[in-house]
């Protein structure tokens, strides 16, 4: 068994990461299944004003995060884990689109460093430098085709999807197997989950489908497969 997964988050808003102490992720930390540390980028600012951004070379709107504080912050957290592969995750709308199979892959990583950029992003030389640094793997990731104010919310989303896949984190590990996006279809797409019902058997005039009350497991499985497929089709048509 490898060491427990460790997450070092670097941000100018450490308070943004407070939700990681709640619910399943909070419990996963308490149980020692994962280790999470949050670091303030500003502590690595090199000028008297503690600024971490500057105007873009070539002109244009907005500010760009300077490479110097990032280099210092990343080197420091990497130095705490010698001999480990450091997966440096840089959040940017220009990154590869994150999905369930990337979450699955990342759930086996040992040391992840999340770099939460703000403003117009981080000077690209940070990416280039660590791509060429032994012991590092760099992943530029986006959580969707929209622009956030920074990488913090993206980090929270990605971490939640990774941590729930780590053995021991979820009470019922079987729930992972059946859920949306974890089932691959013949054409390489992902199947969305079938709709769920619980008590009461009728709510505001809406009954639970008869088949789910039948106790016939083969029929229930067939119905669920049809529903999952219809749902997937509907969403795909909507996206076209
Ligand atoms: N930073 C700003 N927008 C983002 C997005 N869509 N995904 C990841 N990081 C971001």
């Amino acid at each position: 068994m490898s060491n427990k997964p460790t997450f070092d988050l670097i941000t100018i808003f450490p308070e943004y990461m407070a939700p990681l102490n709640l619910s399943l992720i909070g419990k996963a930390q308490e149980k020692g299944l994962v280790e999470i540390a949050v670091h303030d980028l500003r502590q690595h600012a090199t000028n008297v004003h503690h600024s971490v951004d500057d105007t873009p070379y070539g002109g244009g709107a907005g500010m760009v995060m300077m490479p110097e504080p990032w280099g210092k912050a990343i080197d420091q957290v990497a130095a705490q884990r010698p001999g480990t592969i450091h997966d440096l995750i840089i959040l940017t709308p220009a990154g590869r689109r994150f999905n369930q199979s990337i979450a699955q892959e990342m759930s086996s990583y040992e040391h992840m460093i999340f770099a939460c950029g703000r403003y117009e992003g981080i000077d690209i030389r940070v990416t280039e430098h660590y791509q060429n640094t032994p012991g590092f793997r760099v992943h530029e990731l986006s959580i969707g085709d929209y622009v956030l104010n920074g990488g913090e919310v993206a980090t929270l989303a990605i971490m939640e999807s990774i941590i729930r896949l780590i053995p021991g984190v979820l009470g019922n590990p079987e729930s992972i197997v059946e859920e949306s996006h974890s089932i691959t279809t013949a054409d390489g797409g992902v199947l969305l989950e079938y709709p769920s019902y619980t008590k009461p058997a009728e709510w505001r005039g809406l009954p639970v489908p008869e088949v789910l009350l039948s106790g016939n497991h083969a029929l229930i499985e067939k119905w669920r497969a049809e529903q999952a497929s219809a749902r997937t089709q509907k969403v795909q048509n909507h996206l076209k």
Side-chain angles (χ1 to χ4, degrees):
M1 176 65 191
S2 57
N3 292 330
K4 68 178 155 188
T6 301
F7 299 80
D8 278 300
L9 319 184
I10 307 170
T11 167
I12 55 167
F13 295 119
E15 302 85 357
Y16 228 116
M17 302 303 174
L20 295 172
N21 295 322
L22 304 174
S23 185
L24 284 171
I25 300 181
K27 291 214 180 75
Q29 289 190 77
E30 282 167 25
K31 285 197 242 169
L33 296 171
V34 297
E35 198 175 314
I36 301 173
V38 184
H39 311 273
D40 187 353
L41 179 72
R42 248 180 240 290
Q43 299 206 326
H44 298 278
T46 46
N47 60 23
V48 284
H49 306 292
H50 284 267
S51 57
V52 292
D53 60 328
D54 210 328
T55 53
Y57 276 121
M63 301 290 270
V64 178
M65 295 189 106
M66 298 185 290
E68 193 61 32
W70 280 108
K72 287 174 63 191
I74 294 166
D75 287 351
Q76 189 191 65
V77 294
Q80 287 168 358
R81 321 234 158 234
T84 327
I85 298 271
H86 314 293
D87 284 290
L88 174 60
I89 323 297
I90 299 180
L91 291 316
T92 163
R96 177 177 170 212
R97 175 93 67 87
F98 182 72
N99 62 27
Q100 187 68 20
S101 76
I102 301 175
Q104 196 77 54
E105 160 78 21
M106 290 173 77
S107 68
S108 68
Y109 291 175
E110 276 188 34
H111 184 211
M112 284 161 267
I113 303 170
F114 282 76
C116 304
R118 284 256 142 192
Y119 319 115
E120 297 304 307
I122 303 172
D123 188 311
I124 197 66
R125 290 172 292 180
V126 173
T127 302
E128 291 167 0
H129 171 75
Y130 289 101
Q131 277 169 344
N132 294 318
T133 304
F136 277 86
R137 295 186 296 207
V138 181
H139 317 263
E140 289 185 319
L141 293 181
S142 162
I143 59 163
D145 294 339
Y146 41 81
V147 179
L148 302 167
N149 288 334
E152 286 77 7
V153 168
T155 291
L156 290 172
I158 290 174
M159 282 183 62
E160 181 158 320
S161 69
I162 296 171
I163 291 174
R164 62 194 297 286
L165 297 176
I166 292 170
V169 170
L170 287 196
N172 176 9
E174 273 173 31
S175 57
I176 290 176
V177 180
E178 278 193 12
E179 68 197 3
S180 297
H181 297 294
S182 58
I183 299 167
T184 309
T185 56
D187 62 357
V190 287
L191 196 62
L192 303 182
E193 206 173 358
Y194 54 79
S196 306
Y197 297 84
T198 185
K199 292 170 190 69
E202 187 178 320
W203 179 74
R204 297 196 181 178
L206 299 169
V208 170
E210 202 64 50
V211 59
L212 298 179
L213 310 172
S214 69
N216 183 331
H217 292 291
L219 267 187
I220 292 172
E221 231 170 84
K222 181 167 169 285
W223 181 86
R224 285 180 168 167
E226 287 163 2
Q227 292 287 317
S229 163
R231 221 178 191 188
T232 307
Q233 200 64 54
K234 202 169 148 194
V235 171
Q236 274 166 0
N237 289 340
H238 190 75
L239 290 174
K240 272 183 200 151

